[in-house]
PDB file of all heavy atoms in Angstrom:
ATOM      1  N   LEU A1158      29.058 107.608 146.876  1.00 79.00           N
ATOM      2  CA  LEU A1158      28.953 108.952 147.436  1.00 79.00           C
ATOM      3  C   LEU A1158      28.483 108.824 148.872  1.00 79.00           C
ATOM      4  O   LEU A1158      27.559 108.085 149.161  1.00 79.00           O
ATOM      5  CB  LEU A1158      27.969 109.797 146.631  1.00 79.00           C
ATOM      6  CG  LEU A1158      28.349 110.062 145.182  1.00 79.00           C
ATOM      7  CD1 LEU A1158      27.276 110.900 144.502  1.00 79.00           C
ATOM      8  CD2 LEU A1158      29.695 110.741 145.074  1.00 79.00           C
ATOM      9  N   ALA A1164      27.559 116.806 151.823  1.00 92.00           N
ATOM     10  CA  ALA A1164      27.738 118.034 152.612  1.00 92.00           C
ATOM     11  C   ALA A1164      28.520 119.071 151.820  1.00 92.00           C
ATOM     12  O   ALA A1164      28.190 120.262 151.850  1.00 92.00           O
ATOM     13  CB  ALA A1164      28.456 117.718 153.925  1.00 92.00           C
ATOM     14  N   ASP A1174      29.239 132.592 146.654  1.00 98.00           N
ATOM     15  CA  ASP A1174      28.472 133.838 146.633  1.00 98.00           C
ATOM     16  C   ASP A1174      29.293 135.092 146.928  1.00 98.00           C
ATOM     17  O   ASP A1174      29.175 136.078 146.189  1.00 98.00           O
ATOM     18  CB  ASP A1174      27.268 133.746 147.578  1.00 98.00           C
ATOM     19  CG  ASP A1174      26.199 132.788 147.081  1.00 98.00           C
ATOM     20  OD1 ASP A1174      26.169 132.489 145.860  1.00 98.00           O
ATOM     21  OD2 ASP A1174      25.396 132.328 147.913  1.00 98.00           O
ATOM     22  N   PRO A1175      30.154 135.110 147.952  1.00 98.00           N
ATOM     23  CA  PRO A1175      30.904 136.332 148.238  1.00 98.00           C
ATOM     24  C   PRO A1175      31.873 136.746 147.126  1.00 98.00           C
ATOM     25  O   PRO A1175      32.323 137.894 147.085  1.00 98.00           O
ATOM     26  CB  PRO A1175      31.695 135.994 149.514  1.00 98.00           C
ATOM     27  CG  PRO A1175      30.976 134.847 150.128  1.00 98.00           C
ATOM     28  CD  PRO A1175      30.381 134.092 148.979  1.00 98.00           C
ATOM     29  N   ARG A1179      29.545 131.321 140.061  1.00 98.00           N
ATOM     30  CA  ARG A1179      28.319 130.596 139.742  1.00 98.00           C
ATOM     31  C   ARG A1179      28.658 129.376 138.896  1.00 98.00           C
ATOM     32  O   ARG A1179      29.583 129.402 138.083  1.00 98.00           O
ATOM     33  CB  ARG A1179      27.308 131.475 139.037  1.00 98.00           C
ATOM     34  CG  ARG A1179      27.712 131.944 137.666  1.00 98.00           C
ATOM     35  CD  ARG A1179      26.651 132.869 137.053  1.00 98.00           C
ATOM     36  NE  ARG A1179      26.986 133.207 135.697  1.00 98.00           N
ATOM     37  CZ  ARG A1179      26.625 132.531 134.613  1.00 98.00           C
ATOM     38  NH1 ARG A1179      25.886 131.448 134.737  1.00 98.00           N
ATOM     39  NH2 ARG A1179      26.986 132.916 133.420  1.00 98.00           N
ATOM     40  N   ALA A1185      26.318 117.693 134.589  1.00 79.00           N
ATOM     41  CA  ALA A1185      25.619 117.614 133.299  1.00 79.00           C
ATOM     42  C   ALA A1185      25.896 116.266 132.628  1.00 79.00           C
ATOM     43  O   ALA A1185      26.935 115.648 132.848  1.00 79.00           O
ATOM     44  CB  ALA A1185      26.080 118.744 132.380  1.00 79.00           C
ATOM     45  N   ALA A1193      38.818 108.876 126.143  1.00 88.00           N
ATOM     46  CA  ALA A1193      38.094 108.421 127.327  1.00 88.00           C
ATOM     47  C   ALA A1193      37.885 109.610 128.257  1.00 88.00           C
ATOM     48  O   ALA A1193      38.720 110.509 128.320  1.00 88.00           O
ATOM     49  CB  ALA A1193      38.895 107.343 128.040  1.00 88.00           C
ATOM     50  N   GLY A1196      34.582 110.231 134.829  1.00 88.00           N
ATOM     51  CA  GLY A1196      34.260 111.279 135.780  1.00 88.00           C
ATOM     52  C   GLY A1196      33.349 112.356 135.223  1.00 88.00           C
ATOM     53  O   GLY A1196      32.696 112.170 134.208  1.00 88.00           O
ATOM     54  N   VAL A1199      33.192 119.952 136.151  1.00 95.00           N
ATOM     55  CA  VAL A1199      32.522 121.023 136.877  1.00 95.00           C
ATOM     56  C   VAL A1199      33.217 122.319 136.476  1.00 95.00           C
ATOM     57  O   VAL A1199      34.449 122.399 136.524  1.00 95.00           O
ATOM     58  CB  VAL A1199      32.622 120.821 138.405  1.00 95.00           C
ATOM     59  CG1 VAL A1199      32.028 122.004 139.154  1.00 95.00           C
ATOM     60  CG2 VAL A1199      31.954 119.522 138.819  1.00 95.00           C
ATOM     61  N   ILE A1201      33.012 126.561 137.133  1.00 98.00           N
ATOM     62  CA  ILE A1201      32.452 127.677 137.887  1.00 98.00           C
ATOM     63  C   ILE A1201      33.017 128.960 137.302  1.00 98.00           C
ATOM     64  O   ILE A1201      34.232 129.066 137.101  1.00 98.00           O
ATOM     65  CB  ILE A1201      32.829 127.566 139.379  1.00 98.00           C
ATOM     66  CG1 ILE A1201      32.325 126.242 139.955  1.00 98.00           C
ATOM     67  CG2 ILE A1201      32.276 128.757 140.161  1.00 98.00           C
ATOM     68  CD1 ILE A1201      32.912 125.909 141.323  1.00 98.00           C
ATOM     69  N   LEU A1221      35.972 122.865 152.834  1.00 95.00           N
ATOM     70  CA  LEU A1221      35.197 121.862 152.095  1.00 95.00           C
ATOM     71  C   LEU A1221      36.068 120.883 151.314  1.00 95.00           C
ATOM     72  O   LEU A1221      35.640 119.759 151.033  1.00 95.00           O
ATOM     73  CB  LEU A1221      34.251 122.555 151.095  1.00 95.00           C
ATOM     74  CG  LEU A1221      33.113 123.361 151.687  1.00 95.00           C
ATOM     75  CD1 LEU A1221      32.225 123.894 150.564  1.00 95.00           C
ATOM     76  CD2 LEU A1221      32.293 122.538 152.653  1.00 95.00           C
ATOM     77  N   VAL A1239      39.041 133.871 127.675  1.00 92.00           N
ATOM     78  CA  VAL A1239      39.605 134.613 126.545  1.00 92.00           C
ATOM     79  C   VAL A1239      38.955 135.991 126.457  1.00 92.00           C
ATOM     80  O   VAL A1239      37.822 136.193 126.890  1.00 92.00           O
ATOM     81  CB  VAL A1239      39.434 133.857 125.211  1.00 92.00           C
ATOM     82  CG1 VAL A1239      40.173 132.534 125.248  1.00 92.00           C
ATOM     83  CG2 VAL A1239      37.974 133.636 124.885  1.00 92.00           C
ATOM     84  N   ALA A1240      39.690 136.918 125.881  1.00 87.00           N
ATOM     85  CA  ALA A1240      39.177 138.267 125.686  1.00 87.00           C
ATOM     86  C   ALA A1240      38.118 138.255 124.591  1.00 87.00           C
ATOM     87  O   ALA A1240      38.140 137.399 123.701  1.00 87.00           O
ATOM     88  CB  ALA A1240      40.320 139.204 125.310  1.00 87.00           C
ATOM     89  N   ALA A1246      42.732 131.844 114.565  1.00 95.00           N
ATOM     90  CA  ALA A1246      43.651 131.992 113.433  1.00 95.00           C
ATOM     91  C   ALA A1246      44.729 133.027 113.747  1.00 95.00           C
ATOM     92  O   ALA A1246      45.904 132.839 113.414  1.00 95.00           O
ATOM     93  CB  ALA A1246      42.883 132.386 112.175  1.00 95.00           C
ATOM     94  N   GLU A1254      54.772 132.796 114.182  1.00 90.00           N
ATOM     95  CA  GLU A1254      55.785 133.845 114.079  1.00 90.00           C
ATOM     96  C   GLU A1254      56.806 133.726 115.206  1.00 90.00           C
ATOM     97  O   GLU A1254      58.013 133.815 114.977  1.00 90.00           O
ATOM     98  CB  GLU A1254      55.098 135.207 114.129  1.00 90.00           C
ATOM     99  CG  GLU A1254      56.043 136.382 114.016  1.00 90.00           C
ATOM    100  CD  GLU A1254      55.280 137.692 114.095  1.00 90.00           C
ATOM    101  OE1 GLU A1254      54.265 137.819 113.388  1.00 90.00           O
ATOM    102  OE2 GLU A1254      55.698 138.566 114.867  1.00 90.00           O
TER     103      GLU A1254
END
Side-chain angles (χ1 to χ4, degrees):
L1158 297 179
D1174 290 339
R1179 66 182 186 90
V1199 175
I1201 302 167
L1221 292 184
V1239 298
E1254 181 181 312

